[in-house]
Amino acid sequence: MSIEGLVRERRVIICAGSGGVGKTTVAAAIGLVAARAGRRACVVTIDPARRLADALGLAELANDPRPVEGIGPGELWALMLDTKSTFDALVRRYAATPDQAETILANGLYRNISGALGGTQEYMAVEKLWELADDPRFDLVVVDTPPTRNALDFLEAPERLNRFLTNRVFRALMMPTRVGLRAVNVATQLFVRTVSRVIGGEVVGDVLALFTAFDGMEEGFRRRAGEMTEMLHDRGTAFVVIAAPRRDAVAEARFFASHLTAGSLPLEAMVVNLVTPQWGPAPAGSFSGALAELVTNLAELSRTAEGEAKQIERLVAGLGDVALVRVPTFDADVHDLSGLGEVGRFLVAPAPSSGPR
């Protein structure tokens, strides 16, 4: 399906690709295309850099959606993920009482890990996506994911949490908090005391206090993780992989596309950004001065374009009926709504499918 079809029909569009291919720009341009088509779109970035805010003309982005002025007939909103704020909101949602939530939020270990624990950012990114997709203010949510390898963590985060919550080790750790340390076996008591001597009793105390505070909340997290997994596979979700016509970027894009297809996730389009325009063959003959230099430059551009065309063929080989979109290299960096509009114009231009050419 074309990008234009996706922005009109889908509820979620997830943009993925390696670093340095213009992924954030393409995600913002997709949101702008949707808003100008009359939809209420929200663009989410996980990248802490200011590129999205700058391109949208916003002073800053926060964890809550902010509107972009001067867009119509629809609406365009944007936000940047704040992992800790999202985790805090999740704790408040699943806590049985306000006191339970405040106990967790005040725990020293929780404060240290809630924004920095490995995998937390990816899980909270999916949580934020789920939250926005369920928000009646928006018709479409566009997500700018981390670079490819981290984007796989993003996709696998809900299932990873589910596996953790049902793991025997997790249940063993929870046991002392539920029945008291005296009631568990000697081996568990010995383990806790040994760890206390190695890393300090205060830290172990924070761990046990945190597990105690979380008691009873696992089912809510597990249920939400299952819902997130369903959302990623839903027909209302589309994945768009962004690449540049370079060997390394093409390899990363194919790597990600293979994981999507292997996981039965809906890969709908490949966007090749920063493509060298096709100028045609250089004129034959003998030239001198500035004209000779111009002809030489044209020949070099033609060779570059031919090499990129081969990389694009390699990118889409064997992908089947996946839309292919080419966005050329511009004279200047895209840094405002006008530039995003230009990118959007190429995104919705008629494009061939990714079959043999």
Side-chain angles (χ1 to χ4, degrees):
M1 182 181 291
S2 67
I3 298 293
E4 186 173 19
L6 294 178
V7 301
R8 292 182 182 277
E9 297 181 17
R10 298 303 171 90
R11 179 72 174 153
V12 173
I13 296 177
I14 300 173
C15 298
S18 59
V21 298
K23 183 163 46 65
T24 301
T25 298
V26 170
I30 290 174
L32 182 60
V33 167
R36 288 180 172 172
R39 302 200 79 189
R40 298 168 299 167
C42 182
V43 180
V44 183
T45 184
I46 302 172
D47 187 348
R50 287 189 43 85
R51 286 188 294 273
L52 182 58
D54 291 341
L56 296 173
L58 297 174
E60 61 180 354
L61 289 175
N63 200 49
D64 295 315
R66 296 191 175 183
V68 180
E69 302 298 332
I71 305 296
E75 299 174 6
L76 182 60
W77 299 65
L79 67 88
M80 183 179 73
L81 177 73
D82 182 323
T83 302
K84 188 178 187 312
S85 296
T86 303
F87 204 161
D88 291 351
L90 200 59
V91 167
R92 290 189 176 96
R93 178 180 297 118
Y94 289 125
T97 65
D99 286 345
Q100 183 185 21
E102 292 309 314
T103 298
I104 295 171
L105 298 178
N107 181 277
L109 179 62
Y110 173 83
R111 291 200 305 270
N112 287 329
I113 69 172
S114 55
L117 185 65
T120 303
Q121 183 190 55
E122 289 77 17
Y123 179 80
M124 292 306 149
V126 187
E127 164 63 29
K128 178 60 72 171
L129 169 58
W130 194 98
E131 175 188 318
L132 294 169
D134 197 48
D135 191 323
R137 292 179 295 172
F138 308 122
D139 303 317
L140 173 68
V141 181
V142 183
V143 182
D144 165 35
T145 63
T148 305
R149 307 288 166 154
N150 299 96
L152 290 177
D153 293 335
F154 169 86
L155 296 179
E156 296 165 0
E159 278 300 318
R160 188 179 297 115
L161 178 69
N162 242 334
R163 290 195 298 270
F164 173 72
L165 291 174
T166 57
N167 190 279
R168 285 180 299 175
V169 174
F170 173 80
R171 294 181 178 277
L173 287 172
M174 286 296 291
M175 184 68 72
T177 72
R178 287 178 174 165
V179 301
L181 191 57
R182 291 182 182 176
V184 301
N185 62 43
V186 174
T188 303
Q189 294 183 43
L190 179 61
F191 170 77
V192 172
R193 288 170 184 150
T194 302
V195 171
S196 297
R197 287 197 298 270
V198 173
I199 66 175
E202 184 178 349
V203 174
V204 173
D206 279 345
V207 172
L208 294 177
L210 183 60
F211 274 107
T212 301
F214 265 103
D215 188 22
M217 292 173 60
E218 312 96 275
E219 180 56 37
F221 278 94
R222 189 160 50 239
R223 183 174 62 251
R224 186 63 155 246
E227 292 169 346
M228 291 175 183
T229 299
E230 290 178 6
M231 176 190 63
L232 293 176
H233 288 81
D234 190 83
R235 291 181 62 85
T237 298
F239 286 86
V240 175
V241 175
I242 296 95
R246 308 187 311 261
R247 182 181 297 273
D248 60 328
V250 166
E252 283 286 295
R254 284 195 62 83
F255 170 78
F256 192 73
S258 68
H259 276 264
L260 291 176
T261 54
S264 300
L265 291 160
L267 172 61
E268 297 286 354
M270 305 287 283
V271 175
V272 187
N273 193 28
L274 307 171
V275 177
T276 301
Q278 296 272 4
W279 296 99
S286 178
F287 304 95
S288 61
L291 185 56
E293 186 176 344
L294 180 62
V295 171
T296 299
N297 289 342
L298 182 58
E300 290 178 356
L301 284 173
S302 295
R303 284 193 294 271
T304 299
E306 289 171 5
E308 291 180 356
K310 292 178 181 178
Q311 290 299 327
I312 294 172
E313 288 180 7
R314 177 169 158 257
L315 171 67
V316 299
L319 288 183
D321 189 23
V322 174
L324 172 64
V325 180
R326 296 176 176 87
V327 179
T329 298
F330 292 172
D331 293 337
D333 290 339
V334 175
H335 60 274
D336 56 20
L337 288 174
S338 176
L340 287 177
E342 276 297 293
V343 174
R345 184 169 66 86
F346 285 96
L347 290 176
V348 299
S353 66
S354 64
R357 272 169 290 281

